[in-house]
Amino acid sequence: IKQSMVLEEDQSVIQIDPHTGHRIWVLSTPIKSGKKVLGAIYIVAKIESVFAQMQTINSIFATGTAIALSITAVLGILLAQTITKPIADMKKQALAMAKGNFSRKVKVYRNDEIG
């Protein structure tokens, strides 16, 4: 209270209540009349529920991020396989042709550059 009155600005701090062990928010705001400070308003608020809500929100974000990364990984693997499977088949065909086996045929999966 003295700090807020001397400095003429709000003083705010989060502390641990020694009786309950919960977090509390302490705020002291000076009351001014013109340029003179008349007193201060002292507020103490329990904010443990705010921290509990923040923890819940953080766990929701972490779970959502893990699910999104999992889906991205699965889709990435599937996409990579659709590109690498035809290339692997072409490699097998090229090795067979290098050994003189011209009877093998490569299966065409698509009608694009890789196909």
Side-chain angles (χ1 to χ4, degrees), residues 25-29 41-45:
W25 178 44
V26 180
L27 173 68
S28 178
T29 303
I41 296 176
Y42 180 73
I43 300 172
V44 177

Side-chain angles (χ1 to χ4, degrees), residues 22-58:
H22 294 129
R23 288 172 269 220
I24 56 173
W25 178 44
V26 180
L27 173 68
S28 178
T29 303
I31 300 172
K32 298 178 186 177
S33 176
K35 292 190 176 189
K36 185 178 178 186
V37 177
L38 303 175
I41 296 176
Y42 180 73
I43 300 172
V44 177
K46 297 177 184 177
I47 58 169
E48 196 65 35
S49 63
V50 173
F51 281 93
Q53 288 175 349
M54 290 298 292
Q55 186 175 8
T56 303
I57 291 169
N58 286 340

Side-chain angles (χ1 to χ4, degrees), residues 6-8 10 20 29-30 38-39 43 47-48 52-53 69 74 76 79-80 82 86 95 98-99 101-102 107 109:
V6 171
L7 298 175
E8 297 184 8
D10 293 354
T20 62
T29 303
L38 303 175
I43 300 172
I47 58 169
E48 196 65 35
Q53 288 175 349
L69 286 174
V74 168
L79 181 64
T82 61
L95 290 174
K99 293 180 182 176
N101 181 3
F102 297 101
K107 183 177 178 184
Y109 295 96

Side-chain angles (χ1 to χ4, degrees), residues 14 31 46 51-52 70 73 79 93 97 101 108 112-113:
I14 295 175
I31 300 172
K46 297 177 184 177
F51 281 93
S70 300
L79 181 64
Q93 177 65 23
M97 289 175 72
N101 181 3
V108 177
D112 59 359
E113 292 83 9

